[in-house]
Amino acid sequence: MNNINNESDFENHIRQIIIPLLSFSESYKIFDFKKAVDILIARNGAKPKLFFIEIKYHKKSHGRLGFGHGGGKGFQPEVLKERIDYFEDNLRWILGHEDSEEYWFADNETIREYLNDDRVAEKYNGIKTNIFNKITPKSKKELILELNQWLKS
């Protein structure tokens, strides 16, 4: 991950990890648009399903892992506030840190445990950076295994 300089680079890196995972079936499609989430994967066929992935990349110079946009609005804050079952099962977060070659793979409940001020607020929303010390990071191989299992669920 030496050539990652920002969240956009990290997202592209994650896409390159995911694309080969989808080659096992023509039923999967990864979308390029980013209206609601960073990565959207659709599974077609007998058991159709959508998978949502949020990507966050921490640079020490930024000092924070923000989400949503002004006024506490946006898809991410709303999903974290509302606890809709579909998104609890089908949305995951992949975090990266500029000082690490590892990945943090988390569900919404885990992200909620590390919210600034322990809640989604009206102004500033962010994930506490101590998440990197509190949850177990994954190697690239471990991330691939977890993603593969989740996408087949």
Side-chain angles (χ1 to χ4, degrees), residues 67-81:
F67 62 88
H69 49 76
K73 303 290 184 201
F75 180 75
Q76 300 157 343
E78 193 168 356
V79 164
L80 290 172
K81 278 194 280 190

Side-chain angles (χ1 to χ4, degrees), residues 3-152:
N3 58 346
I4 295 175
N5 297 310
N6 54 45
E7 194 166 284
S8 181
D9 290 347
F10 187 60
E11 178 187 329
N12 290 331
H13 173 75
I14 296 298
R15 281 180 178 276
Q16 295 310 308
I17 290 172
I18 292 172
I19 288 170
L21 296 178
L22 305 180
S23 65
F24 67 86
S25 171
E26 291 181 7
S27 298
Y28 288 84
K29 163 73 175 148
I30 186 168
F31 288 88
D32 291 328
F33 64 87
K34 293 176 38 165
K35 295 293 181 189
V37 293
D38 294 317
I39 297 176
L40 174 65
I41 300 168
R43 181 175 66 205
N44 206 11
K47 292 174 62 178
K49 190 172 184 179
L50 294 174
F51 299 90
F52 305 86
I53 302 174
E54 276 301 324
I55 306 293
K56 296 294 168 200
Y57 186 71
H58 184 257
K59 288 186 67 88
K60 290 179 286 188
S61 60
H62 291 160
R64 66 184 195 94
L65 281 170
F67 62 88
H69 49 76
K73 303 290 184 201
F75 180 75
Q76 300 157 343
E78 193 168 356
V79 164
L80 290 172
K81 278 194 280 190
E82 297 299 326
R83 298 176 189 257
I84 302 299
D85 292 341
Y86 193 82
F87 293 115
E88 295 301 300
D89 293 338
N90 301 308
L91 178 105
R92 294 295 181 268
W93 301 68
I94 301 176
L95 311 178
H97 192 290
E98 71 177 333
D99 288 340
S100 179
E101 295 291 318
E102 296 177 300
Y103 308 84
W104 288 260
F105 190 62
D107 60 15
N108 292 335
E109 194 57 40
T110 301
I111 295 297
R112 283 186 199 97
E113 291 176 30
Y114 295 94
L115 294 177
N116 290 340
D117 293 333
D118 300 317
R119 64 189 174 94
V120 176
E122 286 190 25
K123 287 194 175 190
Y124 166 74
N125 288 301
I127 302 164
K128 295 174 186 173
T129 56
N130 71 345
I131 193 170
F132 294 111
N133 301 319
K134 301 290 185 177
I135 67 170
T136 305
K138 306 207 174 305
S139 67
K140 183 176 181 179
K141 182 178 179 179
E142 291 169 321
L143 177 66
I144 289 169
L145 289 172
E146 280 211 38
L147 281 167
N148 197 31
Q149 180 180 3
W150 178 59
L151 291 168
K152 289 182 177 179

